[in-house]
Amino acid sequence: MKKTVALVLALMMVLSCATILAEGFGEKDPESYNATLTFMVQSTAQPNYMIEEFNKVYPNIKIELIEVPSTELQERIITTAMSGTDVPDLFACRTQFVKALVNAGDNIYLDLNTLSDASWTDELEDYVVDVGTAEDGSLRALAWQCPVGGIYYRRSLAQEYFGTDDPAEIQKLFADTATIVETAETLKQKSDGRVKLFGDAAQDINYLLNTNAGGFLIDNVLNTGDGIREIYELTKIFYDNDYCLKIRNDTTALNAAILNGEVFAYCLPTWGLNYNIMPNFPDQAGDWAVCEGPYPFVGGGSWFGISSQSDHVEEAYVFIKYVLTDPDFQLSYASNFGDYTSNKNTHATVSAMSEEEASIFEPFQYLGGQNAYAYWTSQLEKGVNSDAFSPYDEYFTNYLLASVVSYATGLQSLEEAIATFQFDCQSYAPEIQLQ
């Protein structure tokens, strides 16, 4: 289904929620609950752990996972809701299309505000609640993680070419776009061209600049302003001067280059440390660190909520609330996965840990003892622009990267590349306007 939003809006039946606000909703004795739920996800590692820990407190709520490949998840959620057959009680969706689903009224997710006092969401980071809130003010979905971005770099290469591996010093090399170009040139000169600053400049630079540029849509107008154009221009500089390998991130070719010490840095959200860097380069433990770029950014993440067709709304609700707010679970989850949760209290607790206390966190060990929570929290404190999220991010990101590479490789002029980007975006979403 190509026209995701159109299909959502075309759902003919508005599903009603039979759940009525009641005193004590979600607050009964944990052992008194008894139900079997289904939970549609794109991967099972984190949800399986959540369920195992949840069942230690709520032993009689069983949750069965339905795994759907990430590329098929959006379509599967919508078609399942439309058909009304085998609809899961809980959905998890990707950040790239969460806005499309939360703005679908009661067609996909229930409004959590109608179920109980939702003041417990004050514990969550503001942007998580903002993104999961629909235009009508209803709260439909929440994220269990805050995928804050960072520049992950090799300590050994930093020491060799810049004389220090201290994140506070290395971040000065990425203070702004002009300094990033200078850093790339310095690395090129000192390594005789052997080591590149980035592997995939288009994707890395998009991470660094897109959120600050305001995202893809501003008041329903496709953003092709100066911030977006800077992504094109900086990527072309990297291509023209061989400051990058021109290899897409998360590929075997890029992984091989990193193993050979040919790439200095990798721009990724929090999950990139756990699922890209650590598994692919286990022998480089202790040789990585993270620092900030010119602006804070976020990328990816999973957002879950309750299906409007669920027969087990209260049980689904207590699961969501447990995962997002139970302090014992939060600390256990953070230490086992190294994932940056969405809970402010957990952020404060872990960020304040000494290096010895934080040694239980494997990702911190991998970063040479650096407390990544302290770094990620510092980025959130600088603010995340929740308005930068749009219902079309899944597709518009691909269109942007394709047109950026087309310009960087000389296939199109800047204006031709931007025109292609505009054409592709408006073809997918005719309702948007162009500048």
Side-chain angles (χ1 to χ4, degrees), residues 161-162 173 179-193 195 243:
Y161 296 112
F162 299 107
L173 304 177
T179 305
I180 291 173
V181 173
E182 293 174 4
T183 300
E185 178 62 27
T186 298
L187 186 60
K188 178 181 177 179
Q189 294 298 325
K190 289 188 174 182
S191 70
D192 293 326
V195 182
Y243 293 155

Side-chain angles (χ1 to χ4, degrees), residues 165-183:
D165 65 357
D166 182 358
E169 293 301 315
I170 297 301
Q171 73 181 39
K172 296 176 183 178
L173 304 177
F174 297 92
D176 51 46
T177 53
T179 305
I180 291 173
V181 173
E182 293 174 4
T183 300

Side-chain angles (χ1 to χ4, degrees), residues 260-337:
N260 290 332
E262 299 171 16
V263 176
F264 178 73
Y266 205 162
C267 299
L268 287 167
T270 54
W271 47 261
L273 175 62
N274 297 285
Y275 299 107
N276 293 68
I277 297 176
M278 290 175 62
N280 289 322
F281 317 112
D283 295 336
Q284 294 177 358
D287 193 35
W288 286 81
V290 62
C291 72
E292 65 181 352
Y295 317 104
F297 70 91
V298 294
S302 297
W303 302 74
F304 63 160
I306 304 169
S307 166
S308 56
Q309 300 181 57
S310 174
D311 292 326
H312 305 291
V313 172
E314 188 169 359
E315 291 82 1
Y317 173 84
V318 297
F319 174 69
I320 289 177
K321 187 176 180 182
Y322 171 85
V323 168
L324 296 179
T325 64
D326 184 89
D328 293 332
F329 169 77
Q330 281 278 308
L331 187 59
S332 172
Y333 176 74
S335 61
N336 276 277
F337 282 88

Side-chain angles (χ1 to χ4, degrees), residues 207-225:
Y207 269 138
L208 292 179
L209 303 183
N210 197 319
T211 300
N212 185 69
F216 291 115
L217 282 183
I218 300 176
D219 296 328
N220 202 45
V221 177
L222 183 66
N223 182 10
T224 54

Side-chain angles (χ1 to χ4, degrees), residues 197-393:
L197 190 64
F198 298 137
D200 175 16
Q203 194 162 1
D204 287 324
I205 291 169
N206 181 57
Y207 269 138
L208 292 179
L209 303 183
N210 197 319
T211 300
N212 185 69
F216 291 115
L217 282 183
I218 300 176
D219 296 328
N220 202 45
V221 177
L222 183 66
N223 182 10
T224 54
D226 292 343
I228 295 296
R229 287 169 180 262
E230 191 173 23
I231 297 171
Y232 285 84
E233 297 289 17
L234 187 56
T235 303
K236 184 165 178 57
I237 290 172
F238 266 71
Y239 269 58
D240 288 347
N241 293 280
D242 291 324
Y243 293 155
C244 64
L245 287 176
K246 307 169 189 175
I247 298 173
R248 286 300 300 268
N249 284 346
D250 200 25
T251 61
T252 55
L254 180 64
N255 292 345
I258 292 175
L259 286 170
N260 290 332
E262 299 171 16
V263 176
F264 178 73
Y266 205 162
C267 299
L268 287 167
T270 54
W271 47 261
L273 175 62
N274 297 285
Y275 299 107
N276 293 68
I277 297 176
M278 290 175 62
N280 289 322
F281 317 112
D283 295 336
Q284 294 177 358
D287 193 35
W288 286 81
V290 62
C291 72
E292 65 181 352
Y295 317 104
F297 70 91
V298 294
S302 297
W303 302 74
F304 63 160
I306 304 169
S307 166
S308 56
Q309 300 181 57
S310 174
D311 292 326
H312 305 291
V313 172
E314 188 169 359
E315 291 82 1
Y317 173 84
V318 297
F319 174 69
I320 289 177
K321 187 176 180 182
Y322 171 85
V323 168
L324 296 179
T325 64
D326 184 89
D328 293 332
F329 169 77
Q330 281 278 308
L331 187 59
S332 172
Y333 176 74
S335 61
N336 276 277
F337 282 88
D339 207 358
Y340 189 58
T341 75
S342 57
N343 189 289
K344 296 174 184 176
N345 298 330
T346 306
H347 295 172
T349 298
V350 181
S351 296
M353 287 182 174
S354 66
E355 184 172 335
E356 181 179 358
E357 290 172 322
S359 63
I360 61 173
F361 293 80
E362 184 180 356
F364 297 2
Q365 298 174 34
Y366 191 88
L367 294 177
Q370 182 181 9
N371 187 324
Y373 254 68
Y375 163 75
W376 292 328
T377 299
S378 75
Q379 295 300 284
L380 277 185
E381 289 173 348
K382 293 183 178 182
V384 173
N385 180 12
S386 59
D387 291 335
F389 294 80
S390 86
Y392 316 106
D393 287 353

